[in-house]
Amino acid sequence: MLSALIWVPVLGAVFIALLPESLVARTRQIALAIASAVGIWTIILASQFDVGIPGLQFQESLPWIESLGLTYQLGIDGLSMPLILINSLLVWIAIYASDPNINRPRLYYVLMLVLGGAVAGAFVAQNLLLFFLFYEVELIPLYLVIAIWGGARRGYAATKFLIYTAASGVLILAAFFGLAIISETNSFDYDVVQSQVLPLTTQLLLLIPLVVGFGIKIPVVPFHTWLPDAHVEAPTPASVLLAGVLLKLGTYGLLRFGLGLFPEAWTEIAPWLAWIAVLSVLYGSFAAIAQTDMKKIVAYSSVGHMGYIILASAVATPLSLTGTVAQMISHGLISALLFLLVGVVYSKTGTRDINVLRGLLNPERGLPLIGSLMVVGAMASAGIPGMVGFVAEFIVYRGSLPAFPLQTLLCMVGTGLTAVYFLILINRVFFGRLPESLANLPRIRWQDRLPSIIVTVLVIVLGIQPSWMLRWSNVTIQAMGMEEVNRLVQVESESTRLAETVGDSESVRRLVESTETVPLTSMTNPNSIAFTPGKEAASDKSTEPLGDRLIDNSLPHSKLKPNI
Amino acid sequence: MDFANLAAQLNTGVILPEGIVLVTLMVVLVGDLITGRASSSRWSPYVGIAGLLAAIVALYFQWTTTTNPISFLGAFNGDALSIVFRGIVALSCAITLLITARYVEQSGTALPEFIVILLTATLGGMFLSGANELVMIFVSLETLSISSYLLTGYMKRDPRSNEASLKYLLIGAASSAIFLYGVSLVYGLSGGETRLSAITTSIVANNGEQSLGVVVALVFVIAGIAFKIAAVPFHQWTPDVYEGSPTPVVAFLSVGSKAAGFALAVRLLVSAFPMVSEQWRFVLTALAILSMVLGNVVALAQTSMKRMLAYSSIAQAGFVMIGLIIGTDAGYASMVFYLLVYLFMNLGGFACVILFTLRTGTDEITEYSGLYQKDPLLTLCLSICLLSLGGIPPLAGFFAKIYLFWAGWQSGAYTLVLLGLVTSVISIYYYIRVVKMMVVKEPEEMSDAVKNYPEIDWKLPGMRPLQVGLVVCLVATSLAGILSNPLFTLANNSVLRTPLLTPATIAPPASGTALLDQPSIHSSNSTLGG
């Protein structure tokens, strides 16, 4: 089942590589067909996916290399299902949005398909080494795509991407090694390493390289410098995939391996993570304001918006984790949309400089549809209600506020700043008089419009009906968060006891304060998650399904483990 | 001592593979004289390859049937470890022969002699892998070395080749002398023992557990070994020799000769120096760290492909040494596995370099730019081999590195493993630089060499074998990692079935256990023999 997600694109890539010369002209159609097949398969999987099971589904397990503890173990749960969906969608869109007359089509589509397959593999791998393998496989295809089909400084950007990501891989591998060595079986299987109980210092020692490793990938400030370069130089489809799914590997890894394996240490570093999130959000937003290249603006907005995910995952309550999933989907769609649109503008006008472009919204000679979609995308990104960005950011803030009020408030400033830089962009590029130099733009074809339209529709539909994107992960996240909460309860009672015995130890008191959170009550009484009507009435629609689920499922308040 | 008893003690069947190589060598040498130059250069590579494959088959039979491995009164040990290393040396020579023919042909020198010298070097390497006695070690080491000097200077009209040969000879002779001096110290300290298995007991009996003399001898011996495996700081000859010598020779030196050096290192250090195992581990750790750092960092700055591969091979030796240093079962096994994989990826890389040199006459990295347009197979093969050397999944090199680092981590060699991981990232940079040159550059950025690239013609004499060698390495490099179970089982068995290494696995700083075990092996030998 799940293997098809990996192997259909990979074998398709091999097939394309071996195509006879007479069929090379049809490479694009073949690649699209393969991507469509993967997409349909993903939809079938999604339709069979039981949202009521918190653990892994469609599991596959084959022995591979026992001496290394490497098994071919796949499984999908509510955390990875939405990401797989978005991956299949964006791979299709990226291939569809590729220039039909691209240079060296065979190599290009081979690399794109391998990239898609490897990312899917990383999302479903349930063995640490297997995850690492897929995580590294994705490196070279993207490097080559940027280096061959990229912009002027593509060599520099591609190499920078490669070195940064390879460094992140090394950190992750070191953490995985460290973890597996402690488990007596020397196994890298996720369920095996998860089941062991580690002392706090060990957890911290392993978690920190992991956080830095995934932090490079996400990327968080100060490891973010590769991203704007890579985005600016990458061709549009690569940017779409990079922002849409590849960055999600980092946040997915943080949740799956950081929070999932080192829950106690996670609470220890959670405040730091929240501050890192603040730094990323504010730095990304301010840097975006200062840019003149459209693509750089979107790239820096990516840095900022990925920060929200870190903020919410630091809190790690069910509500905030729901926020992370929502924000991953929302950022995946919105950034893909924005990159697609910027790509169209660039391909038609030949520049991305917001000081040069003007008046593109001109209904006759400009790019009216593209401009309108850009406005929608900017609104979604800035969190205007009715679109997916609002839902995601609202849940993120609602989930994070009780635990880290100050950090959350600072992150909210980022949402405001998003509006600032996108308004600047739209105002300069799309409003005003179209100068003569920009008249007579090449015709827009349906092929330019269709990908953006599909994504826009999704952005709006999921904004109106967010339960369609949250239903996949609700139960899984409750299970994850449930562990979290139980632990919080435990820590609290322990630390209270400590506080009683130790007296007025400052650190202990702080720990108690930090753990005395709203989600505690919210979990013991799911209803309390419902919002006070007057103040947040606007949000009712978006959050209701979530509340409903929380009640409906009425899970036992015991520690839930994925049922393997 | 009657004849039957003597025959049993000599146990000559163990060196059957070497015998086959020797016969092959003679056939090529005499056949060349009889049939004349023109025809002999056509068939001699195939005879050589056939002989080597026959030797590998003989090794396989030795592997499956367990006989007494000690032969020639303890001078040669045909245990599982030596079988694997002899196999690696023979296989590397076979692949080198595949990629040699056209190169030597085109350079206008005689092919049969080249093959004879190469086979002699292989013979030396194979004997070195099983040598169990100091005189035997030195003789086979010199057989390997002197043949290597001859091979490096084989292009006698090329001044660079002459320079390389002279440099190699001078530094090699010096290091041989140092090694011999160390060996003589061991000989003296042990009261005249030459068999490795007896040395330890004698030294302890004569000098007690710790002795400064042993440490001094150890340092000299390690200097000799480090020269052979090109570990920093005994590496200075490598770049110059690699750059100047004929490329097939470099291919053999970087794989076959290096593997023999590692076999020597394992046998000599583990069996003769267990009482100073902490010291030699410490020295080797320093060498490994220096090799990994210097090899990988200096490779960044190279402009010549062969020099870059020279530094890369120094760095790779550093990685392999991790397996030797940690001295566990898994460590030795992953070292053997790494060498097996390294054989294919490095020889594959050199096969591509040879092919490129044949077609363009240059080996500057910049000259590779835009190659994909003219020669997709060469581009693919070189890219795969280089990425595998850099440890990119799912290629064989990735798995080899993971095995090695995981074994290192398991035994607590955190510094070495972390350094290995970091330097692997550095190495990706210079490997990918070549890939970028070949794959990324647009047609208009094509180098002159590539612009004038000749028509690809596999029908020229000697090109078919080169193609076969290329494809074999390509397939092995792509699949040996994913399907690494059988290979790793082989590597693992070679360690488990070697009595020499088993005591070391029980207690890594194995002084006590090894001391107890050595005499028992020795006595069982004599009972079997007598």
Side-chain angles (χ1 to χ4, degrees):
Chain A
M1 294 285 277
L2 292 178
S3 286
L5 291 178
I6 305 165
W7 295 108
V8 168
V10 170
L11 294 177
V14 173
F15 175 72
I16 289 179
L18 299 175
L19 273 185
E21 285 299 321
S22 56
L23 281 172
V24 168
R26 302 206 162 272
T27 317
R28 179 188 162 82
Q29 282 87 343
I30 297 170
L32 261 184
I34 295 165
S36 312
V38 176
I40 291 167
W41 185 246
T42 315
I43 292 170
I44 295 174
L45 274 183
S47 66
Q48 309 223 320
F49 183 84
D50 185 348
V51 292
I53 299 176
L56 296 170
Q57 303 183 35
F58 310 123
Q59 290 199 60
E60 288 175 32
S61 185
L62 285 173
W64 189 2
I65 301 176
E66 284 94 351
S67 43
L68 270 183
L70 172 60
T71 48
Y72 181 77
Q73 202 163 24
L74 307 182
I76 194 166
D77 64 3
L79 186 60
S80 27
M81 190 72 220
L83 293 168
I84 285 289
L85 279 167
I86 220 168
N87 179 42
S88 297
L89 172 77
L90 289 185
V91 168
W92 189 89
I93 283 186
I95 289 179
Y96 188 84
S98 301
D99 180 1
N101 306 317
I102 198 160
N103 257 344
R104 301 161 73 182
R106 217 182 330 188
L107 182 62
Y108 176 80
Y109 291 110
V110 164
L111 294 175
M112 283 305 231
L113 287 172
V114 170
L115 191 58
V119 172
F123 283 137
V124 296
Q126 296 300 326
N127 179 291
L128 303 190
L129 269 187
L130 192 65
F131 170 84
F132 176 72
L133 197 150
F134 284 121
Y135 185 84
E136 292 274 291
V137 165
E138 140 266 315
L139 220 79
I140 297 295
L142 192 62
Y143 168 83
L144 286 177
V145 168
I146 297 176
I148 297 178
W149 293 277
R153 287 168 69 240
R154 57 185 186 272
Y156 169 77
T159 309
K160 199 169 177 183
F161 158 77
L162 185 74
I163 297 297
Y164 268 82
T165 319
S168 104
V170 161
L171 287 166
I172 293 165
L173 184 64
F176 284 174
F177 270 2
L179 182 61
I181 200 82
I182 295 164
S183 78
E184 267 144 40
T185 49
N186 277 348
S187 168
F188 284 93
D189 282 344
Y190 183 78
D191 44 347
V192 175
V193 286
Q194 196 195 18
S195 62
Q196 52 188 331
V197 183
L198 301 175
L200 187 61
T201 31
T202 322
Q203 286 198 15
L204 277 175
L205 219 56
L206 296 173
L207 180 60
I208 286 166
L210 208 60
V211 167
V212 177
F214 286 121
I216 294 173
K217 186 82 185 174
I218 290 174
V220 297
V221 178
F223 308 116
H224 66 287
T225 55
W226 64 272
L227 185 76
D229 283 320
H231 267 314
V232 168
E233 301 305 327
T236 305
S239 286
V240 168
L241 279 186
L242 182 59
V245 286
L246 285 168
L247 303 187
K248 306 300 176 294
L249 274 178
T251 43
Y252 169 80
L254 265 191
L255 289 178
R256 171 78 70 202
F257 301 106
L259 174 64
L261 296 176
F262 311 107
E264 284 85 9
W266 187 266
T267 13
E268 285 291 312
I269 64 162
W272 297 98
L273 273 180
W275 280 115
I276 290 173
V278 171
L279 186 64
S280 288
V281 169
L282 292 182
Y283 181 88
S285 308
F286 280 118
I289 293 175
Q291 302 306 318
T292 54
D293 182 327
M294 285 170 83
K295 221 170 178 183
K296 262 206 166 137
I297 296 178
V298 183
Y300 274 109
S301 93
S302 241
V303 175
H305 285 228
M306 292 303 280
Y308 303 148
I309 304 181
I310 301 169
L311 173 71
S313 53
V315 181
T317 56
L319 185 63
S320 80
L321 288 179
T322 309
T324 61
V325 173
Q327 176 67 15
M328 280 199 254
I329 298 170
S330 130
H331 176 259
L333 292 173
I334 295 172
S335 61
L337 173 65
L338 293 172
F339 276 119
L340 282 169
L341 295 169
V342 172
V344 174
V345 169
Y346 181 61
S347 71
K348 299 301 167 195
T349 63
T351 177
R352 292 189 302 253
D353 193 335
I354 59 171
N355 293 325
V356 175
L357 294 166
R358 269 185 79 75
L360 286 182
L361 212 55
N362 187 311
E364 271 151 35
R365 296 179 304 162
L367 309 166
L369 181 70
I370 299 298
S372 322
L373 293 177
M374 191 75 182
V375 173
V376 174
M379 281 161 65
S381 191
I384 304 292
M387 275 166 284
V388 71
F390 168 75
V391 180
E393 280 168 34
F394 185 85
I395 305 177
V396 165
Y397 295 144
R398 183 68 189 83
S400 315
L401 192 62
F404 300 118
L406 180 58
Q407 288 96 321
T408 310
L409 284 171
L410 285 170
C411 282
M412 283 180 186
V413 175
T415 305
L417 292 173
T418 307
V420 173
Y421 53 77
F422 277 126
L423 274 180
I424 293 176
L425 187 151
I426 289 172
N427 191 26
R428 298 264 181 90
V429 176
F430 292 100
F431 295 158
R433 261 179 69 91
L434 188 70
E436 280 307 309
S437 58
L438 287 175
N440 308 321
L441 295 176
R443 279 178 61 84
I444 296 259
R445 289 159 308 172
W446 269 106
Q447 201 223 323
D448 299 323
R449 296 184 187 128
L450 188 64
S452 325
I453 293 176
I454 296 174
V455 181
T456 312
V457 168
L458 275 173
V459 164
I460 293 172
V461 167
L462 292 181
I464 296 168
Q465 188 53 278
S467 70
W468 288 356
M469 74 173 170
L470 299 177
R471 63 191 288 263
W472 309 105
S473 43
N474 255 329
V475 178
T476 306
I477 277 172
Q478 281 188 56
M480 283 180 81
M482 194 73 80
E483 289 179 40
E484 187 65 14
V485 166
N486 272 2
R487 195 173 39 64
L488 281 179
V489 174
Q490 201 185 340
V491 169
E492 188 190 27
S493 61
E494 261 176 25
S495 50
T496 325
R497 242 185 300 122
L498 263 176
E500 279 162 6
T501 49
V502 176
D504 56 349
S505 160
E506 181 62 29
S507 61
V508 173
R509 197 147 42 74
R510 233 184 297 127
L511 185 64
V512 177
E513 276 164 13
S514 72
T515 48
E516 153 196 75
T517 51
V518 170
L520 270 177
T521 50
S522 78
M523 280 325 298
T524 43
N525 176 13
N527 289 319
S528 70
I529 229 171
F531 304 101
T532 42
K535 214 169 164 188
E536 285 145 349
S539 69
D540 268 358
K541 190 177 261 178
S542 58
T543 45
E544 222 168 41
L546 175 74
D548 283 347
R549 291 235 159 251
L550 286 173
I551 302 160
D552 284 347
N553 291 311
S554 63
L555 285 158
H557 294 167
S558 59
K559 187 170 178 171
L560 278 176
K561 284 273 176 189
N563 51 341
I564 298 144
Chain B
M1 196 185 279
D2 56 46
F3 181 73
N5 209 338
L6 183 69
Q9 281 206 331
L10 285 181
N11 196 10
T12 44
V14 174
I15 60 158
L16 177 67
E18 284 76 8
I20 295 172
V21 174
L22 186 63
V23 169
T24 318
L25 190 159
M26 301 306 280
V27 167
V28 173
L29 191 63
V30 177
D32 176 40
L33 288 175
I34 294 171
T35 59
R37 177 102 325 151
S39 82
S40 68
S41 54
R42 265 205 310 281
W43 54 258
S44 53
Y46 298 102
V47 172
I49 292 163
L52 288 164
L53 291 182
I56 292 169
V57 171
L59 284 169
Y60 174 75
F61 279 114
Q62 285 192 0
W63 174 269
T64 47
T65 54
T66 45
T67 49
N68 173 25
I70 308 291
S71 66
F72 291 94
L73 306 161
F76 189 82
N77 192 341
D79 56 12
L81 189 74
S82 90
I83 291 179
V84 167
F85 272 105
R86 283 143 82 201
I88 293 177
V89 175
L91 192 60
S92 73
C93 180
I95 296 180
T96 310
L97 276 183
L98 280 176
I99 60 183
T100 296
R102 182 72 205 161
Y103 188 91
V104 178
E105 195 99 326
Q106 198 157 322
S107 70
T109 36
L111 183 60
E113 279 95 329
F114 184 89
I115 293 173
V116 169
I117 306 174
L118 188 60
L119 285 173
T120 316
T122 311
L123 198 61
M126 287 171 81
F127 273 125
L128 189 58
S129 309
N132 204 23
E133 197 235 2
L134 293 179
V135 178
M136 179 75 189
I137 287 176
F138 188 69
V139 170
S140 41
L141 184 66
E142 284 304 283
T143 314
L144 174 61
S145 303
I146 293 172
S147 319
S148 307
Y149 308 147
L150 287 175
L151 286 171
T152 41
Y154 198 73
M155 303 293 142
K156 58 181 176 240
R157 293 192 196 85
D158 181 355
R160 286 195 310 167
S161 177
N162 286 316
E163 185 199 330
S165 182
L166 190 64
K167 265 188 189 156
Y168 195 21
L169 174 69
L170 290 177
I171 302 176
S175 93
S176 288
I178 294 169
F179 180 76
L180 195 58
Y181 185 55
V183 167
S184 76
L185 282 179
V186 174
Y187 180 75
L189 286 168
S190 64
E193 277 291 347
T194 54
R195 266 177 307 175
L196 296 185
S197 45
I199 283 174
T200 310
T201 28
S202 304
I203 290 182
V204 173
N206 292 341
N207 306 285
E209 279 278 337
Q210 285 290 336
S211 149
L212 188 63
V214 180
V215 178
V216 174
L218 174 77
V219 170
F220 286 134
V221 166
I222 287 185
I225 296 172
F227 169 77
K228 208 77 231 151
I229 58 180
V232 179
F234 303 96
H235 70 289
Q236 280 99 344
W237 59 277
T238 325
D240 292 336
V241 170
Y242 277 29
E243 195 184 14
S245 355
T247 320
V249 177
V250 183
F252 179 74
L253 286 184
S254 71
V255 179
S257 169
K258 209 166 255 198
F262 274 108
L264 170 68
V266 174
R267 199 170 294 279
L268 193 59
L269 294 178
V270 172
S271 61
F273 293 100
M275 60 289 205
V276 285
S277 71
E278 276 185 28
Q279 282 86 341
W280 68 253
R281 276 175 222 283
F282 175 75
V283 176
L284 284 189
T285 308
L287 293 187
I289 290 175
L290 285 173
S291 301
M292 286 191 284
V293 172
L294 194 123
N296 280 317
V297 171
V298 179
L300 293 174
Q302 299 308 313
T303 54
S304 151
M305 189 73 187
K306 273 157 90 178
R307 277 187 94 89
M308 190 207 88
L309 283 173
Y311 281 106
S312 125
S313 86
I314 293 171
Q316 301 279 343
F319 293 138
V320 179
M321 277 157 80
I322 295 177
L324 178 59
I325 292 162
I326 54 181
T328 56
D329 264 354
Y332 292 124
S334 55
M335 174 176 122
V336 171
F337 182 78
Y338 199 99
L339 282 172
L340 274 169
V341 167
Y342 176 69
L343 183 156
F344 288 110
M345 55 196 187
N346 217 38
L347 285 181
F350 273 111
C352 298
V353 174
I354 289 174
L355 192 55
F356 187 75
T357 315
L358 282 178
R359 288 180 177 160
T360 62
T362 172
D363 56 7
E364 287 296 305
I365 293 176
T366 44
E367 295 292 332
Y368 281 79
S369 58
L371 186 63
Y372 79 93
Q373 293 265 331
K374 296 292 176 89
D375 197 341
L377 174 69
L378 179 56
T379 309
L380 175 74
C381 185
L382 189 52
S383 306
I384 295 276
C385 289
L386 290 180
L387 291 178
S388 177
L389 282 168
I392 300 286
L395 304 169
F398 168 78
F399 288 91
K401 277 208 176 107
I402 291 273
Y403 275 123
L404 203 57
F405 292 156
W406 178 227
W409 195 278
Q410 275 176 316
S411 57
Y414 302 119
T415 326
L416 278 175
V417 173
L418 288 177
L419 199 71
L421 285 171
V422 171
T423 48
S424 307
V425 174
I426 299 174
S427 78
I428 292 175
Y429 180 81
Y430 59 82
Y431 291 124
I432 201 86
R433 202 159 57 103
V434 182
V435 177
K436 192 167 116 190
M437 277 290 167
M438 295 187 296
V439 181
V440 173
K441 295 285 180 188
E442 296 302 321
E444 50 274 19
E445 298 169 293
M446 214 182 260
S447 67
D448 293 335
V450 174
K451 270 183 197 145
N452 305 322
Y453 206 70
E455 196 70 14
I456 295 168
D457 184 9
W458 293 110
K459 296 220 172 58
L460 289 170
M463 283 305 257
R464 238 357 122 178
L466 182 52
Q467 192 186 18
V468 171
L470 206 70
V471 172
V472 166
C473 290
L474 175 64
V475 171
T477 308
S478 319
L479 298 181
I482 299 169
L483 311 171
S484 68
N485 268 333
L487 269 188
F488 195 74
T489 317
L490 174 88
N492 223 356
N493 282 342
S494 76
V495 173
L496 291 179
R497 284 164 49 179
T498 306
L500 167 71
L501 301 178
T502 337
T505 59
I506 299 165
S511 50
T513 9
L515 279 176
L516 289 177
D517 275 33
Q518 292 301 334
S520 70
I521 294 171
H522 180 48
S523 60
S524 71
N525 296 342
S526 46
T527 46
L528 279 167

